[in-house]
Amino acid sequence: MFDRVLVPLDGSPRAERALDLLPALPCRAVLLLRVTSAAGGRDAADYLSPIAAELAARGTPAEARTAAGDPAERIVEAAATVDLIAMTSRGRGAGGRLLFGSVADRV
């Protein structure tokens, strides 16, 4: 069993698909993370709160945390306090990752 699982979310339906994995992952708690610019912190907290409440209602305590800065760097920092990261990738392929970069690859 995992003690804590980190689920980084960017507000997209694709990122939220990682939440679908949680019932299959035995874990005691979930850390939801939204990385934004410094100005977007309040909106990020408003976005995460209902997700955390839904997880708690299903029996999995969830902490919602926001951070500002580079997404990959903030995810790696948050990963120091968890056992597993559950996140999705856009699946652009090698060419797309080369041109646009990939947060998942960087993590």
Side-chain angles (χ1 to χ4, degrees), residues 15-39:
E16 290 175 5
R17 291 185 66 195
L19 296 168
D20 296 339
L21 299 172
L22 294 178
L25 298 172
C27 65
R28 290 188 174 92
V30 172
L31 171 59
L32 301 170
L33 177 67
R34 174 88 189 263
V35 180
T36 65
S37 65

Side-chain angles (χ1 to χ4, degrees), residues 5-91:
V5 174
L6 170 62
V7 181
L9 297 172
D10 64 6
S12 70
R14 183 179 302 272
E16 290 175 5
R17 291 185 66 195
L19 296 168
D20 296 339
L21 299 172
L22 294 178
L25 298 172
C27 65
R28 290 188 174 92
V30 172
L31 171 59
L32 301 170
L33 177 67
R34 174 88 189 263
V35 180
T36 65
S37 65
R42 176 65 183 164
D43 291 339
D46 290 344
Y47 163 69
L48 292 176
S49 293
I51 298 170
E54 182 180 331
L55 289 170
R58 287 192 265 158
T60 303
E63 173 189 350
R65 186 183 302 172
T66 62
D70 179 82
E73 290 176 11
R74 298 297 86 79
I75 292 168
V76 169
E77 287 171 2
T81 66
V82 302
D83 302 309
L84 181 72
I85 302 172
M87 66 187 294
T88 62
S89 174
R90 294 213 168 151

